[in-house]
Amino acid sequence: MASASPPLTVYVTYLGGSFEDTVSGMAVDSSGSQYLTGSTNSPDFPLTSTAFGVPSETNSCAFVTKFNPTGTAIEFSTCVPDSGAFAIDEGGNMYFAGAAAVKLDPTGQQILYNTPITGTPAAVAVDSMGNVYLAGSAGPGLVTTPGVYQPAIHSGQCYALNMPQPCPNAFVMKLNPSGAVMWATYLGGAGPDGANAIAVDSAGNVWVVGGTVSPDFPVTPNAFDASFGGEVDLGPERYGDAFVSELDPTGSKLLYSTYLGGSAADAAFAIAVDGTGAVYVAGGTSSGNFPTTAGALQATYTGAAPIMPTLSGNAFVTKFDASGQVVYSTLVGTTPSEATAIAVDAQGRAAVNAPAASLITQATACTGQPAITVLNAAGSAVAAFSPVTGNFLAMDSKGGLYAAGTTTTLAFLSTPHAFQTRYGGGNSDGSAGKVDLSQPAGQQLRSVVNAASFEGGNGVGAVAPGEIVTLFGNGFGSQPSVNFDVSPAPILSASDCQINAVVPFSVNPGTPLFTGPFSTSSTFVSVLSGGEAIGPMELPVDAAAPGIFTVTGTGTGQAAVINQDGTLNSASNPAPRGSIIAVYMTGTGALSPQIPDGSLGPSTPPFPAPVLNISAQIGQSAAQVVFAGQAPALIAGLTQVNVQVPPDAPTGPSIPITIGAGGYLSSTFSL
């Protein structure tokens, strides 16, 4: 099938301070304003109000932040009393479901109600009347209401520390607009069950999805699959099937309920309902016999047979009509993958946070990061994709696809004029973005990564002097030029969506940009094409950002290593213990003596050497570096490291190797 065209990136912004900031929820209102909620312990986290406290390094706070529709500013940002699942209503009131259900007014200044919850909510939804629906898991302490479908927990027994106790069941609860409990019910069988997501249709029926290990989970006569697929366990962890259930508006009737899965581990994590009442369910499976439908995008499981139970074999999307009949069911992605978020637009297109297998090559070629897949209405093809990723998704009626999540790297770039254009520092930041599926990408610079490992350097996306890097984006043309600050970068190859270039040696680490494991300065990178400037974008600079080249050239799999006899190292052609291997890499930093940007290294000794100490590890053993220097007769910045295989090195395929430059370590690849 033809690949989908990249959409226009409207904005991408960071959200965070100098310590740890995480995103646990996201919602979008009718104006296109994006709301993020999560937790922060950054004293410099951007707040517009301190009415509910301030974060500190030793005392984190839950937060909610509202961006304007263009992502260029925040309308408000405040700590809140509780975090957890998150939703907004049509009036802009905000709802949080954790130890309590909390309703906050549209300004984020006033708590409208705070209702304690005796279960553990995992999801919250709100209808057009302001009624709130919660779902999650609960033990015997849940206070149910008379007349509901399942007023008592099932009598099934589980064990903790070899002591019997009731297995948790899923639960569903409805609150009125004032926060009073209208009804609450269990939903489950003899084994452990839990709901992960909830949605309400236009008739007020309540749909919940999750995971069940109960062979007697309640199912209805019209179930798609009335039989439990089986249980797989790993110690105290138990895995079974996904479930999809529908309760009536009073919580007294189970209108529809079905298992969904195969013979291995399955669970549903996300749900969406469209205007016709159709229900879209997303999750993860390691079942080779997960049910798919004819004509589906991916009908066959492509994940490896798991050694241990996992829900990250393949992602899946299953669409039900309003009566519970399956419209389509498809797997999405290669292993490991699972879908934890889904959003649906008015055209019936479903976006999930898993890259379709057909997008993997395209994402590698043009975005450098996994893409969000947008399925067509039939579930048979990729209608679009987004290079802006996240664990939370939303779609609007105008082609807008929103994503939010937590990021620990600077491998993606914020857009110009975004609210926060650079990483705040610390362990993680929040991120938020929007793409417009109705418009083509145009000229955009998306990310800059190490050309060998395809990673952002040192976990913060740093570049180093002399590093060969790959720039991903769109609209570069056939003859672009690249500048780091005012210094031109030698270009090795270029296409409309990818440039391979060398960071000038004049780009120098210096004054710290933010608190972190290494001192960094910053550089501004820009692409010039057809008289237009794309950028500039700011990147941190470290003394080194090492990456090992791989045989595939995609930053995965077998390291590009030459054995002592001059042959290519591989699982079928391993290096003997005690022999010398040549490893090819980049990002080892400045050379001594220095050689000009874009020049070729000398073909005979002496060879310029990295100024930083080069170290190596094979398996668990330190390996002797017998040579480290500019690769002979190759582009300046390409380093050759000759390493002696230790006498106690392990044998067999996939032996790990790591190379360090100073205190900076490459990712581990295989010999």
Side-chain angles (χ1 to χ4, degrees), residues 239-262:
Y239 301 85
D241 281 0
F243 72 83
V244 182
S245 300
E246 178 190 18
L247 290 160
D248 80 324
T250 69
S252 62
K253 296 179 181 179
L254 188 64
L255 302 178
Y256 179 81
S257 189
T258 185
Y259 290 108
L260 180 62

Side-chain angles (χ1 to χ4, degrees), residues 27 40-41 48-49 62 86 159 167 184 256 269 272 281 302 326 381 396 462 477 581:
T40 178
N41 69 343
T48 60
S49 170
F86 177 64
Y159 288 83
C167 292
Y256 179 81
F269 299 117
V281 179
T302 60
V326 170
D396 64 27
I581 58 174

Side-chain angles (χ1 to χ4, degrees), residues 656-667:
I657 181 171
T658 304
I659 306 290
Y664 306 86
L665 298 178
S666 73
S667 291

Side-chain angles (χ1 to χ4, degrees), residues 26 29 41 63 147 152 169 175 226 279 313 316 328 409 429 438 478 533 544 602:
M26 184 267 283
D29 66 20
N41 69 343
F63 71 84
N169 280 180
L175 310 180
V279 175
F316 71 81
Y328 69 75
T409 75
D429 269 11
S438 69
S478 59

Side-chain angles (χ1 to χ4, degrees), residues 103-190:
K103 180 178 181 180
L104 203 62
D105 82 310
T107 68
Q109 297 293 300
Q110 184 178 357
I111 298 173
L112 302 179
Y113 65 67
N114 189 324
T115 301
I117 304 299
T118 50
T120 303
V124 59
V126 59
D127 66 21
S128 60
M129 303 297 292
N131 299 305
V132 171
Y133 304 79
L134 308 174
S137 63
L142 181 74
V143 179
T144 60
T145 51
V148 293
Y149 171 72
Q150 186 180 329
I153 194 169
H154 196 285
S155 59
Q157 293 291 301
C158 290
Y159 288 83
L161 300 176
N162 295 321
M163 297 294 292
Q165 62 183 21
C167 292
N169 280 180
F171 82 90
V172 187
M173 179 181 293
K174 180 179 180 179
L175 310 180
N176 69 15
S178 299
V181 176
M182 298 179 69
W183 54 262
T185 183
Y186 286 103
L187 180 65

Side-chain angles (χ1 to χ4, degrees), residues 110-487:
Q110 184 178 357
I111 298 173
L112 302 179
Y113 65 67
N114 189 324
T115 301
I117 304 299
T118 50
T120 303
V124 59
V126 59
D127 66 21
S128 60
M129 303 297 292
N131 299 305
V132 171
Y133 304 79
L134 308 174
S137 63
L142 181 74
V143 179
T144 60
T145 51
V148 293
Y149 171 72
Q150 186 180 329
I153 194 169
H154 196 285
S155 59
Q157 293 291 301
C158 290
Y159 288 83
L161 300 176
N162 295 321
M163 297 294 292
Q165 62 183 21
C167 292
N169 280 180
F171 82 90
V172 187
M173 179 181 293
K174 180 179 180 179
L175 310 180
N176 69 15
S178 299
V181 176
M182 298 179 69
W183 54 262
T185 183
Y186 286 103
L187 180 65
D193 314 301
N196 295 322
I198 188 168
V200 183
D201 65 24
S202 58
N205 299 311
V206 185
W207 291 84
V208 290
V209 299
T212 176
V213 195
S214 295
D216 58 348
F217 189 87
V219 295
T220 52
N222 59 341
F224 167 67
D225 183 357
S227 301
F228 182 55
E231 177 178 348
V232 289
D233 297 339
L234 177 63
E237 296 296 323
R238 302 171 64 184
Y239 301 85
D241 281 0
F243 72 83
V244 182
S245 300
E246 178 190 18
L247 290 160
D248 80 324
T250 69
S252 62
K253 296 179 181 179
L254 188 64
L255 302 178
Y256 179 81
S257 189
T258 185
Y259 290 108
L260 180 62
S263 55
D266 318 283
F269 299 117
I271 186 171
V273 178
D274 70 18
T276 70
V279 175
Y280 303 73
V281 179
T285 179
S286 57
S287 293
N289 59 342
F290 186 89
T292 59
T293 52
L297 171 71
Q298 183 181 326
T300 304
Y301 180 75
T302 60
I307 299 174
M308 296 185 293
T310 178
L311 296 171
S312 299
N314 278 175
F316 71 81
V317 178
T318 303
K319 178 181 177 180
F320 298 83
D321 66 19
S323 67
Q325 297 298 306
V326 170
V327 178
Y328 69 75
S329 185
T330 185
L331 298 165
V332 181
T334 57
T335 191
S337 63
E338 62 183 19
T340 59
I342 189 167
V344 179
D345 67 10
Q347 301 176 40
R349 299 183 299 182
V352 290
N353 62 334
S358 60
L359 287 176
I360 297 295
T361 301
Q362 183 176 3
T364 301
C366 290
T367 69
Q369 56 186 332
I372 292 170
T373 301
V374 182
L375 298 173
N376 67 359
S380 60
V382 176
F385 75 93
S386 169
V388 179
T389 61
N391 294 327
F392 304 94
L393 302 176
M395 299 179 78
D396 64 27
S397 61
K398 300 177 182 178
L401 172 58
Y402 304 78
T406 302
T407 181
T408 58
T409 75
L410 269 176
F412 78 91
L413 296 176
S414 60
T415 49
H417 314 300
F419 166 69
Q420 184 176 330
T421 57
R422 71 185 189 190
Y423 190 74
N427 293 332
S428 61
D429 269 11
S431 66
K434 176 186 177 181
V435 299
D436 187 343
L437 300 178
S438 69
Q439 298 187 54
Q443 290 186 314
Q444 293 181 331
L445 176 59
R446 300 186 190 278
S447 61
V448 180
V449 296
N450 184 287
S453 65
F454 275 38
E455 296 176 340
N458 305 322
V460 294
V463 295
E467 179 187 3
I468 304 174
V469 293
T470 300
L471 293 77
F472 292 107
N474 294 96
F476 295 155
S478 59
Q479 294 183 315
S481 60
V482 176
N483 285 345
F484 284 82
D485 299 321
V486 296
S487 299

